[in-house]
Amino acid sequence: CEIFGAAGWKLTYDDMKWWGDWCQVHGVNVMDPHSFNPKGNMNDPDTDCPPYFYYTGDEENWPKYQAWCERQNRLGYMLTGNDEQNYHIAPVAMLWTGYSKYAEEPVNGDYKNEYPYSMQSALDRVHYDHNLLTYSRFKKDCKLNETRKEIELSFSKYKILILPPVEIIPLEVMKKAKEFYDLGGTLIGWQRVPTKAARFGQEDSQVQSLSIDLWNSLKPTASWKPCNTNEKGGKTYFIDATDEDSIADQLTLIMDNSGIDSDFKVVSGNFEKWTHHNHRVRNGMDIFMLWNGAKDSCQMVARLKAKGKPELWDPGTK
């Protein structure tokens, strides 16, 4: 992430910490500040994409830059890696449309607040960690585990698949989503279900048939109860909400009904919607990053699902 480019001249250390921690809790652990110029000074500032940190002694944030770097380097080290001892744990996989969304009209007429951003924020608020999977990654690299009813990619495993609100989708992706459901997996549609094939020569009717098999309709009704089920435990749900608050409300009911728990659950407290988490395994240890992005401190009682003896770690001091 080019984290501070064009942020303006009034970036404070609190801003720096907030942005850095927001990236870390969402899985972005390599950052380029885009903000260091050893030749400039505050009397003759570099005007290209401020802020900059100058080592001439007249820029108030320069002494704090080392503290920011040390904090983010420690967090990045603990929250990275992809092998049998270092991997991300998240129950939800979301299919990412990439640029294919520009092949059709947006469902609400404006892509600014479209998928995946409001859905991601809502998942954060109901404390279900997630990853984005491109169509090709899901189609080619993901394996389906019938015994565990999970989608597997490297060492990460997902129990829930969320489809984007598109009408056009690769037929192979829909076939694999249907296969996941047939094996007992849980699918969530949002705003509309696919009705058209993405490649020439493939019949739209095949995509429509798969959508009907999954949701019993090309225009399903939102409900916290499954639209469809099968004998192996497969479930499909549908969310029609467009704003973050309503999506979070519908997700809460659906997750409760699905029986699929998050590994982090807030039991009680005065937390706000900014409270997020990131769960990884590192060298056999479960690492949870808990983040409060609100202006005020909060107190909560939370349940963390892991093995071993719990320890608290402050990346700013240790």
Side-chain angles (χ1 to χ4, degrees):
C1 172
E2 185 183 79
I3 189 167
F4 297 138
W9 293 110
K10 296 183 179 180
L11 187 72
T12 67
Y13 181 73
D14 286 341
D15 294 333
M16 292 161 52
K17 179 178 176 294
W18 195 98
W19 288 14
D21 290 357
W22 185 94
C23 286
Q24 296 281 3
V25 82
H26 287 92
V28 180
N29 47 46
V30 178
M31 302 176 199
D32 168 19
H34 188 85
S35 54
F36 178 70
N37 186 334
K39 296 182 179 180
N41 59 68
M42 294 302 290
N43 294 323
D44 184 23
D46 190 325
T47 59
D48 175 34
C49 289
Y52 277 91
F53 298 107
Y54 303 121
Y55 67 9
T56 51
D58 58 354
E59 203 277 315
E60 63 178 357
N61 278 327
W62 170 240
K64 304 172 185 176
Y65 184 59
Q66 180 179 352
W68 181 85
C69 286
E70 289 177 348
R71 177 185 179 85
Q72 299 307 326
N73 285 338
R74 293 183 186 116
L75 283 173
Y77 173 76
M78 296 297 285
L79 300 173
T80 192
N82 187 26
D83 54 47
E84 62 183 2
Q85 290 293 317
N86 303 276
Y87 54 90
H88 184 212
I89 295 179
V92 178
M94 302 169 59
L95 290 183
W96 168 236
T97 62
Y99 288 107
S100 69
K101 66 183 181 181
Y102 296 113
E104 61 186 52
E105 289 297 320
V107 65
N108 290 313
D110 183 4
Y111 273 123
K112 182 174 63 175
N113 295 315
E114 275 291 347
Y115 184 94
Y117 310 113
S118 53
M119 177 62 77
Q120 285 184 285
S121 296
L123 281 166
D124 286 336
R125 290 176 58 179
V126 299
H127 306 297
Y128 275 76
D129 204 358
H130 58 278
N131 275 334
L132 291 172
L133 300 179
T134 62
Y135 289 151
S136 60
R137 201 79 188 272
F138 175 67
K139 180 178 64 175
K140 297 178 181 178
D141 300 330
C142 288
K143 298 178 181 179
L144 303 180
N145 188 315
E146 182 176 4
T147 302
R148 297 176 58 89
K149 302 176 184 180
E150 293 176 337
I151 298 168
E152 298 181 348
L153 179 63
S154 297
F155 299 95
S156 295
K157 301 172 176 61
Y158 311 100
K159 293 182 178 296
I160 298 171
L161 179 66
I162 297 181
L163 272 67
V166 296
E167 61 176 346
I168 303 172
I169 199 168
L171 177 60
E172 296 82 1
V173 171
M174 280 296 289
K175 287 182 177 179
K176 194 160 187 174
K178 174 63 162 51
E179 183 182 356
F180 177 53
Y181 165 74
D182 290 340
L183 295 178
T186 298
L187 272 69
I188 298 177
W190 183 37
Q191 297 189 55
R192 62 182 172 187
V193 299
T195 55
K196 296 181 180 180
R199 290 184 179 275
F200 292 113
Q202 294 178 339
E203 296 293 333
D204 294 344
S205 60
Q206 293 179 276
V207 174
Q208 294 167 15
S209 178
L210 289 167
S211 288
I212 292 173
D213 287 343
L214 288 169
W215 289 282
N216 283 326
S217 173
L218 294 180
K219 293 183 178 181
T221 301
S223 173
W224 59 269
K225 296 181 179 180
C227 300
N228 205 357
T229 61
N230 60 39
E231 59 184 11
K232 291 191 175 182
K235 301 182 183 74
T236 62
Y237 298 90
F238 189 75
I239 292 173
D240 64 352
T242 58
D243 65 285
E244 182 183 317
D245 290 340
S246 299
I247 296 170
D249 290 341
Q250 292 186 15
L251 274 174
T252 298
L253 296 174
I254 287 173
M255 295 307 190
D256 287 344
N257 181 267
S258 73
I260 299 174
D261 285 333
S262 172
D263 44 27
F264 173 73
K265 183 178 180 65
V266 176
V267 179
S268 63
N270 66 335
F271 63 93
E272 296 187 21
K273 68 179 184 179
W274 289 108
T275 306
H276 307 329
H277 81 284
N278 185 345
H279 182 191
R280 292 188 63 90
V281 167
R282 181 162 190 81
N283 298 327
M285 298 184 297
D286 286 275
I287 307 293
F288 285 85
M289 178 182 177
L290 306 184
W291 179 71
N292 172 24
K295 293 181 179 180
D296 300 323
S297 62
C298 68
Q299 294 182 345
M300 67 172 66
V301 176
R303 184 203 69 194
L304 289 76
K305 188 176 180 179
K307 296 180 180 180
K309 182 180 178 180
E311 298 180 3
L312 292 176
W313 177 59
D314 182 351
T317 60
K318 299 179 181 179

